[in-house]
Coordinates of all heavy atoms in Angstrom, one line a residue:
M1 N 10.8 0.8 8.0 CA 10.7 -0.7 8.0 C 11.9 -1.2 8.8 O 13.1 -1.0 8.3 CB 10.7 -1.3 6.6 CG 9.5 -0.7 5.8 SD 9.4 -1.5 4.2 CE 10.9 -1.1 3.4
N2 N 11.7 -1.9 9.9 CA 12.8 -2.4 10.7 C 12.7 -3.9 10.8 O 11.6 -4.5 10.5 CB 12.6 -1.8 12.2 CG 12.8 -0.3 12.2 OD1 13.6 0.2 11.4 ND2 12.1 0.3 13.1
S3 N 13.8 -4.5 11.2 CA 13.8 -6.0 11.4 C 13.3 -6.7 10.1 O 12.5 -7.6 10.2 CB 13.0 -6.4 12.6 OG 13.5 -5.8 13.8
L4 N 13.8 -6.3 9.0 CA 13.3 -6.8 7.7 C 13.6 -8.3 7.6 O 14.6 -8.8 8.0 CB 13.9 -6.0 6.6 CG 13.2 -4.6 6.4 CD1 14.1 -3.7 5.5 CD2 11.8 -4.8 5.8
K5 N 12.7 -8.9 6.9 CA 12.8 -10.4 6.6 C 12.8 -10.6 5.1 O 12.2 -9.8 4.4 CB 11.6 -11.1 7.3 CG 11.4 -10.8 8.8 CD 10.1 -11.4 9.3 CE 10.0 -11.1 10.8 NZ 8.7 -11.7 11.3
P6 N 13.3 -11.8 4.7 CA 13.2 -12.1 3.3 C 11.8 -12.0 2.7 O 11.6 -11.6 1.5 CB 13.8 -13.5 3.2 CG 14.8 -13.5 4.4 CD 14.1 -12.7 5.4
E7 N 10.8 -12.4 3.5 CA 9.4 -12.3 3.0 C 8.9 -10.9 2.8 O 7.8 -10.8 2.3 CB 8.5 -13.2 3.9 CG 8.6 -12.8 5.4 CD 9.6 -13.8 6.1 OE1 10.7 -14.1 5.6 OE2 9.2 -14.2 7.3
D8 N 9.6 -9.9 3.3 CA 9.3 -8.5 3.0 C 9.7 -8.1 1.6 O 9.3 -7.0 1.2 CB 9.9 -7.6 4.0 CG 9.4 -7.8 5.4 OD1 8.2 -8.0 5.6 OD2 10.2 -7.8 6.4
T9 N 10.4 -8.9 0.9 CA 10.8 -8.6 -0.5 C 9.6 -8.4 -1.4 O 8.7 -9.3 -1.5 CB 11.7 -9.7 -1.0 OG1 12.9 -9.8 -0.3 CG2 12.0 -9.5 -2.5
A10 N 9.5 -7.3 -2.0 CA 8.4 -6.9 -2.9 C 8.7 -5.5 -3.5 O 9.6 -4.8 -3.1 CB 7.1 -6.9 -2.0
V11 N 7.8 -5.2 -4.4 CA 7.7 -3.8 -4.9 C 6.7 -3.1 -4.0 O 5.6 -3.6 -3.8 CB 7.3 -3.7 -6.4 CG1 7.2 -2.3 -6.8 CG2 8.2 -4.5 -7.3
Y12 N 7.2 -2.0 -3.4 CA 6.3 -1.2 -2.5 C 5.8 0.0 -3.3 O 6.5 0.7 -3.9 CB 7.2 -0.8 -1.3 CG 7.4 -1.9 -0.3 CD1 8.2 -3.0 -0.7 CD2 6.7 -1.9 0.9 CE1 8.4 -4.0 0.2 CE2 6.9 -3.0 1.8 CZ 7.8 -4.0 1.4 OH 7.9 -5.0 2.3
Y13 N 4.5 0.2 -3.1 CA 3.8 1.3 -3.8 C 3.1 2.2 -2.7 O 2.6 1.7 -1.7 CB 2.7 0.8 -4.7 CG 3.1 -0.1 -5.8 CD1 3.2 -1.5 -5.6 CD2 3.4 0.4 -7.1 CE1 3.6 -2.3 -6.7 CE2 3.8 -0.4 -8.1 CZ 3.9 -1.8 -7.9 OH 4.3 -2.6 -8.9
C14 N 3.1 3.5 -3.0 CA 2.3 4.4 -2.2 C 1.1 4.8 -3.1 O 1.2 4.8 -4.3 CB 3.0 5.6 -1.7 SG 3.6 6.8 -2.9
A15 N 0.0 5.1 -2.4 CA -1.2 5.4 -3.1 C -2.0 6.4 -2.3 O -1.9 6.5 -1.1 CB -2.0 4.2 -3.4
A16 N -2.9 7.2 -2.9 CA -3.7 8.2 -2.2 C -5.2 8.0 -2.5 O -5.5 7.6 -3.7 CB -3.3 9.6 -2.7
Q17 N -6.0 8.2 -1.5 CA -7.4 8.2 -1.6 C -8.0 9.3 -0.8 O -7.4 9.8 0.2 CB -8.0 6.8 -1.2 CG -7.8 6.6 0.3 CD -8.4 5.3 0.8 OE1 -8.3 5.0 2.0 NE2 -8.9 4.5 -0.1
L18 N -9.2 9.8 -1.2 CA -9.9 10.7 -0.4 C -10.2 10.1 1.0 O -10.6 8.9 1.1 CB -11.2 11.2 -1.0 CG -11.0 12.1 -2.2 CD1 -12.4 12.3 -2.9 CD2 -10.5 13.5 -1.7
D19 N -10.0 10.8 2.0 CA -10.2 10.3 3.4 C -11.6 10.5 3.8 O -11.9 11.3 4.7 CB -9.2 11.1 4.3 CG -9.2 10.4 5.7 OD1 -9.5 9.2 5.9 OD2 -8.9 11.2 6.7
T20 N -12.5 9.8 3.2 CA -13.9 9.9 3.4 C -14.5 8.8 4.2 O -15.6 9.0 4.9 CB -14.7 10.0 2.1 OG1 -14.3 8.9 1.3 CG2 -14.3 11.3 1.3
L21 N -13.9 7.7 4.2 CA -14.4 6.5 4.9 C -13.3 5.9 5.7 O -12.1 6.0 5.4 CB -15.0 5.5 4.0 CG -16.2 5.9 3.1 CD1 -16.5 4.8 2.1 CD2 -17.4 6.2 4.0
T22 N -13.6 5.2 6.8 CA -12.6 4.5 7.6 C -12.9 3.1 7.8 O -12.2 2.4 8.6 CB -12.5 5.2 9.0 OG1 -13.8 5.1 9.6 CG2 -12.1 6.7 8.8
N23 N -13.8 2.5 7.0 CA -14.0 1.0 7.2 C -12.9 0.2 6.7 O -12.1 0.7 5.8 CB -15.4 0.6 6.7 CG -15.4 0.8 5.2 OD1 -14.8 0.1 4.4 ND2 -16.2 1.8 4.7
L24 N -12.8 -1.0 7.1 CA -11.6 -1.8 6.7 C -11.5 -2.0 5.2 O -10.4 -2.0 4.7 CB -11.8 -3.2 7.4 CG -10.6 -4.2 7.2 CD1 -9.4 -3.6 7.9 CD2 -11.0 -5.5 7.9
Y25 N -12.6 -2.3 4.5 CA -12.6 -2.5 3.1 C -12.0 -1.2 2.4 O -11.1 -1.3 1.6 CB -14.0 -2.8 2.6 CG -14.0 -3.0 1.1 CD1 -13.6 -4.2 0.5 CD2 -14.3 -1.9 0.2 CE1 -13.6 -4.3 -0.9 CE2 -14.3 -2.0 -1.1 CZ -14.0 -3.2 -1.7 OH -14.0 -3.4 -3.1
Y26 N -12.5 -0.1 2.7 CA -12.1 1.1 2.0 C -10.6 1.4 2.3 O -9.9 1.8 1.4 CB -13.0 2.3 2.5 CG -12.7 3.6 1.8 CD1 -13.1 3.8 0.4 CD2 -12.0 4.6 2.4 CE1 -12.8 5.0 -0.2 CE2 -11.7 5.8 1.7 CZ -12.1 6.0 0.4 OH -11.8 7.2 -0.2
T27 N -10.2 1.3 3.5 CA -8.8 1.7 3.8 C -7.7 0.7 3.3 O -6.6 1.1 3.2 CB -8.7 1.9 5.3 OG1 -9.0 0.7 6.0 CG2 -9.5 3.0 5.8
T28 N -8.1 -0.6 3.1 CA -7.1 -1.6 2.8 C -7.2 -2.2 1.4 O -6.3 -3.0 1.0 CB -7.2 -2.7 3.8 OG1 -8.4 -3.4 3.7 CG2 -7.0 -2.2 5.2
T29 N -8.2 -1.8 0.6 CA -8.4 -2.4 -0.7 C -7.7 -1.5 -1.8 O -8.1 -0.4 -1.9 CB -9.9 -2.6 -1.0 OG1 -10.4 -3.4 0.0 CG2 -10.1 -3.3 -2.4
P30 N -6.8 -2.1 -2.6 CA -6.1 -1.3 -3.6 C -7.1 -0.5 -4.6 O -6.8 0.6 -4.9 CB -5.3 -2.3 -4.3 CG -5.0 -3.4 -3.3 CD -6.3 -3.5 -2.5
S31 N -8.2 -1.1 -4.9 CA -9.0 -0.5 -5.9 C -9.7 0.7 -5.4 O -10.3 1.5 -6.2 CB -10.1 -1.5 -6.4 OG -10.9 -1.9 -5.3
T32 N -9.7 1.0 -4.1 CA -10.3 2.2 -3.6 C -9.4 3.4 -3.6 O -9.8 4.5 -3.3 CB -10.8 2.0 -2.2 OG1 -9.7 1.7 -1.3 CG2 -11.8 0.8 -2.1
Y33 N -8.1 3.2 -4.0 CA -7.2 4.3 -4.1 C -7.1 4.8 -5.5 O -7.1 4.0 -6.5 CB -5.8 3.7 -3.6 CG -5.7 3.6 -2.1 CD1 -6.3 2.5 -1.5 CD2 -5.0 4.5 -1.3 CE1 -6.2 2.3 -0.1 CE2 -4.9 4.3 0.0 CZ -5.5 3.3 0.6 OH -5.5 3.1 2.0
T34 N -7.1 6.1 -5.6 CA -7.2 6.8 -6.9 C -5.8 7.0 -7.6 O -5.7 6.8 -8.8 CB -7.9 8.1 -6.7 OG1 -9.1 7.9 -6.1 CG2 -8.1 8.8 -8.1
Y35 N -4.8 7.4 -6.8 CA -3.6 7.7 -7.3 C -2.5 6.8 -6.8 O -2.5 6.4 -5.7 CB -3.2 9.2 -7.0 CG -4.2 10.2 -7.4 CD1 -5.1 10.7 -6.4 CD2 -4.3 10.6 -8.7 CE1 -6.0 11.7 -6.8 CE2 -5.3 11.5 -9.1 CZ -6.1 12.1 -8.1 OH -7.1 13.0 -8.5
W36 N -1.6 6.4 -7.7 CA -0.5 5.5 -7.4 C 0.9 6.0 -7.9 O 1.0 6.6 -8.9 CB -0.8 4.1 -8.1 CG -1.9 3.4 -7.5 CD1 -3.3 3.6 -7.8 CD2 -1.9 2.4 -6.5 NE1 -4.0 2.7 -7.0 CE2 -3.2 2.0 -6.2 CE3 -0.8 1.8 -5.8 CZ2 -3.5 1.0 -5.2 CZ3 -1.1 0.8 -4.8 CH2 -2.4 0.5 -4.5
G37 N 1.9 5.6 -7.1 CA 3.2 5.8 -7.6 C 3.7 4.7 -8.4 O 3.0 3.7 -8.7
Q38 N 4.9 4.8 -8.9 CA 5.5 3.8 -9.8 C 6.0 2.6 -9.1 O 6.3 1.5 -9.7 CB 6.5 4.4 -10.7 CG 7.9 4.5 -10.1 CD 8.0 5.6 -9.0 OE1 7.1 6.4 -8.8 NE2 9.1 5.6 -8.3
G39 N 6.2 2.7 -7.8 CA 6.8 1.6 -7.0 C 8.3 1.6 -6.8 O 9.0 2.2 -7.7
T40 N 8.7 1.1 -5.7 CA 10.1 1.0 -5.5 C 10.5 -0.4 -5.0 O 9.7 -1.0 -4.1 CB 10.6 2.0 -4.5 OG1 12.0 2.0 -4.3 CG2 10.0 1.9 -3.1
Q41 N 11.5 -1.0 -5.5 CA 11.8 -2.4 -5.1 C 12.6 -2.5 -3.8 O 13.5 -1.8 -3.5 CB 12.7 -3.0 -6.2 CG 13.2 -4.5 -5.9 CD 12.1 -5.5 -6.0 OE1 11.3 -5.5 -7.0 NE2 12.0 -6.4 -5.0
V42 N 12.1 -3.4 -3.0 CA 12.8 -3.7 -1.7 C 13.1 -5.2 -1.8 O 12.3 -6.1 -2.0 CB 11.9 -3.5 -0.5 CG1 12.5 -4.0 0.8 CG2 11.6 -2.0 -0.4
T43 N 14.4 -5.5 -1.6 CA 14.9 -6.9 -1.6 C 15.6 -7.1 -0.3 O 16.6 -6.4 0.0 CB 15.8 -7.1 -2.8 OG1 15.1 -6.8 -4.0 CG2 16.3 -8.6 -2.8
V44 N 15.2 -8.2 0.4 CA 15.8 -8.5 1.7 C 16.5 -9.9 1.5 O 15.8 -10.9 1.2 CB 14.8 -8.6 2.8 CG1 15.5 -8.9 4.2 CG2 14.0 -7.3 2.9

């Protein structure tokens, strides 16, 4: 993450899903991801 802005402040999570579909809904919707990390705080 470069050129960070104050509005980038958030808890950042990674998540995993089976790579079976590539439509916009499947790839960008949190509920379609099966596994999640605990998150890491980013404060700008």
Side-chain angles (χ1 to χ4, degrees):
M1 305 185 295
N2 298 327
S3 302
L4 284 163
K5 305 174 182 180
E7 51 264 43
D8 294 317
T9 295
V11 178
Y12 284 71
Y13 299 90
C14 67
Q17 65 178 184
L18 284 171
D19 189 23
T20 53
L21 299 171
T22 58
N23 63 71
L24 185 63
Y25 177 84
Y26 183 75
T27 58
T28 64
T29 302
S31 62
T32 65
Y33 285 75
T34 305
Y35 304 104
W36 288 84
Q38 81 288 351
T40 185
Q41 176 70 47
V42 171
T43 304
V44 184

